[in-house]
Amino acid sequence: LLSIIRPGVADAGLKDKYLNRRAGKEATYYDHPLMEEIVGETYGILVYQEQLFLTVQRLANFTADEAYDLVKVVGKKQAEKLEPISLRFYEGCKNNPEFTDPYDGNWDKAKDAAERIWNSIQASGRYAFNKSHATGYGLTATWEVWLKHHYPMEMLTALLATDGDSTHRYLREARRRGIKVLPPDINKSGEKFLLVGDEIRYGLDAVAGVGGAIARDIRRGQPYASLNDYLERSGRGAAKGVVVNLTCLGAFDGMGDRVALLKEFERYRILYKRKTKLTPEKADQIVATKITEKPGEFLIEVPDFNDPSVIQRIEEELLGNFVTVDPLAPYIKVIEVNAISHPLDMAGKAVGEIFTIGGLLTKAKLHIIAKGRSQGQEMAFLNISWNEEDFDVVVFPQKWREIKGLAKLGSPIACDVSKTEKGCTLVRMERLDLLFERE
């Protein structure tokens, strides 16, 4: 499977033949009886580079070096070097009694078979895969499929911990499977994502401004009894940006209220390392004076942690994903009632038919049209996520000018779209948060 989808077999039009022959829907055919021992396991089709080597060696008596040169020339599409090799191939087949015997030694009859085989070598050889490579990749893929089936939580946790570029994809898979993902916790999180029971907890290094080195400093001091204990023992973890980000995400929730913790940290930074013992009144006075004199240095902005949209924004900014607040929660019913539920549902729609797609706007890729009547105009390709599935919508220039002000990433939207041969194009878009706000 890994090999037949590569361009060599696929572009030669042999992928479907292979699948049909394997399924018993089509008879296996060999261009020459000698080919059965070479391509018998692949239903008469040249799939692997090793088969190309064996074919020219067995049929045309190529040496190993000559066979290697052929594969290299075909793979690099060096047409000027290919003709002499083809003549060498035909000559080798002609002088090989085992090749001509099935045709009573008549080269004119045998040449047709040689031509078919040569054409197949050129087509498949352009991007032929080593069977040794395919075996290695196939084994790895099989391990991963087995692991994902039997140990999905462990598999996803490991991927989250090692493949930071695809965090969104793995979190989406976890949610699809009903696996709960928890925000970072100053005492419970590891440096990387961690599986705790049947839940996955964010790693400290996933937080904006933290990173691996600071996460290791924090980990060395765990557990912490209080914010003050943390500030005294966490090394680089006590930096302003780190503490503020972790507090806003709820990593210190086990130690108190987020607003109170931010104020406590504000106070700590002003009074840090003061040798003289201060009365509470004197300390309050110093804090108030410093904040008034240097608000940019000491004042910490306190978000409205009671507003779910604020929590969502904080999580998306600091973790790249929503964790505790689902931005689509208020609109689930309306989307379920009015919109298609899966990208495959589009297959049942007729070209030109209007239908609805709803979900979270996760991507808006802009494109400048290079030629034609709309040359120089901007269009967009939108990605809408719903139930951990992605829907792609094309937005042409005029429609993009109408809705680009509404197309804010992370917004809940509903789109009326028109089915095309290859997908769908936007007809109308509504921001569900603004729509429900108006109503």
Side-chain angles (χ1 to χ4, degrees), residues 113-243:
E115 287 177 348
R116 288 194 299 273
I117 294 168
W118 178 253
N119 290 336
S120 183
I121 287 172
Q122 288 189 85
S124 299
R126 286 200 306 274
Y127 297 98
F129 215 24
N130 286 346
K131 186 178 181 182
S132 55
H133 287 180
T135 301
Y137 295 150
L139 181 60
T140 304
T142 304
W143 284 340
E144 292 186 354
V145 169
W146 185 91
L147 188 63
K148 183 176 179 181
H149 177 78
H150 291 288
Y151 298 95
M153 290 183 290
E154 289 83 354
M155 172 97 174
L156 285 168
T157 305
L159 290 170
L160 284 163
T162 57
D163 185 9
D165 292 336
S166 302
T167 298
H168 180 76
R169 173 185 170 193
Y170 303 135
L171 289 175
R172 186 171 59 190
E173 174 73 6
R175 293 190 187 103
R176 188 181 69 80
R177 289 174 170 267
I179 301 169
K180 191 171 183 180
V181 179
L182 304 173
D185 184 282
I186 206 63
N187 280 329
K188 298 176 182 177
S189 287
E191 180 184 338
K192 305 286 185 182
F193 280 88
L194 200 63
L195 182 62
V196 182
D198 58 357
E199 299 170 329
I200 298 174
R201 186 173 290 279
Y202 258 88
L204 295 167
D205 74 341
V207 179
V210 178
I214 295 175
R216 285 189 289 275
D217 276 4
I218 296 172
R219 285 278 289 154
R220 277 192 285 269
Q222 290 175 333
Y224 299 100
S226 63
L227 176 60
N228 191 71
D229 180 36
Y230 170 85
L231 295 171
E232 294 293 336
R233 298 194 299 109
S234 63
R236 288 169 287 184
K240 177 184 177 183
V242 175
V243 177

Side-chain angles (χ1 to χ4, degrees), residues 235-269:
R236 288 169 287 184
K240 177 184 177 183
V242 175
V243 177
V244 170
N245 288 355
L246 287 170
T247 304
C248 288
L249 286 169
F252 291 99
D253 280 2
M255 299 175 182
D257 175 76
R258 297 183 196 184
V259 175
L261 289 168
L262 288 175
K263 288 300 180 184
E264 182 182 340
F265 180 51
E266 195 176 75
R267 188 181 184 88
Y268 175 91
R269 293 183 65 242

